[in-house]
Amino acid sequence: MILRFNVGDRVVVAAPVGCTPAEMAAGLYAHRIGTVETVYDQDALPYPYEVVFEDGGRLCFTDNELIHESEYLLSKTDLSLAQEFDSREEGDVVNHPAHYTWLPGGLEVIDITKNFGFVRGNALKYLFRADFKGRTVEDLKKARWYVDYEIKQLEAEANQ
């Protein structure tokens, strides 16, 4: 099989219409621009392209989950991709938003965080969603704030 992308290519993530749960990461990363850092052997891995984003995040994608940046800009695909992603997420934006439902097996972030109390659960929530809302550093700082808060509370209790 001939691969469409090479190391160094600038690409845009475009989730395939009707994507499977395994392809959901592409939907969560839709519109993000990155650079192909590694191209793996197609026969060895189902996701041959490792893409690095400007915020330092990285993820692997299939051939049909990416388009060249120039193709994206020239065809103004960004509008149609946004509409497609928004319409797919629209019904669940309150009950099951995509940034909390990306875990395998139908597991949601709340299924994990509810077991850790409010402060630790919030720290975990921000860690889990950091790469899926487009504000990775901000969410990581929020997670750190909750961890620091919990440490201060535990230290205050120990000193009483």
Side-chain angles (χ1 to χ4, degrees), residues 2 9 31 44 46 49 54-55 64 67 69 76 87 90 94 107 109 117 120 122 134 139-140 151-152 154-156:
I2 298 174
D9 285 356
H31 317 290
Y49 305 108
E54 285 147 6
D55 66 2
N64 67 342
I67 57 176
E69 181 182 37
K76 301 199 185 297
S87 68
E90 188 176 323
V94 172
L107 190 65
V109 171
R120 292 180 190 188
N122 270 334
D139 278 349
L140 291 174
I151 290 169
K152 287 177 189 172
L154 292 171
E155 288 175 341

Side-chain angles (χ1 to χ4, degrees), residues 17-146:
V17 176
C19 64
T20 66
E23 298 167 321
M24 185 52 75
L28 297 171
Y29 277 79
H31 317 290
R32 291 187 66 185
I33 297 172
T35 304
V36 176
E37 182 173 276
T38 308
V39 178
Y40 297 103
D41 179 4
Q42 175 67 35
D43 296 328
L45 293 171
Y47 302 97
Y49 305 108
E50 182 177 24
V51 175
V52 177
F53 300 101
E54 285 147 6
D55 66 2
R58 60 181 63 226
L59 195 64
C60 291
F61 295 94
T62 65
D63 209 57
N64 67 342
E65 294 173 327
L66 301 172
I67 57 176
H68 283 97
E69 181 182 37
S70 58
E71 178 185 339
Y72 175 81
L73 296 173
L74 288 174
S75 66
K76 301 199 185 297
T77 306
D78 53 340
L79 180 58
S80 62
L81 284 173
Q83 291 169 342
E84 182 243 315
F85 181 67
D86 290 344
S87 68
R88 212 177 328 125
E89 188 183 50
E90 188 176 323
D92 287 344
V93 73
V94 172
N95 297 309
H96 304 287
H99 56 278
Y100 292 135
T101 58
W102 57 270
L103 293 164
L107 190 65
E108 293 191 27
V109 171
I110 195 169
D111 297 324
I112 298 168
T113 61
K114 69 183 179 185
N115 298 299
F116 289 90
F118 179 79
V119 175
R120 292 180 190 188
N122 270 334
L124 287 169
K125 172 186 75 172
Y126 284 113
L127 285 172
F128 277 117
R129 79 177 205 182
D131 287 335
F132 298 101
K133 297 257 330 199
R135 298 185 304 262
T136 301
V137 173
E138 179 181 313
D139 278 349
L140 291 174
K141 286 180 179 179
K142 288 178 181 180
R144 181 175 60 196
W145 185 92
Y146 278 100

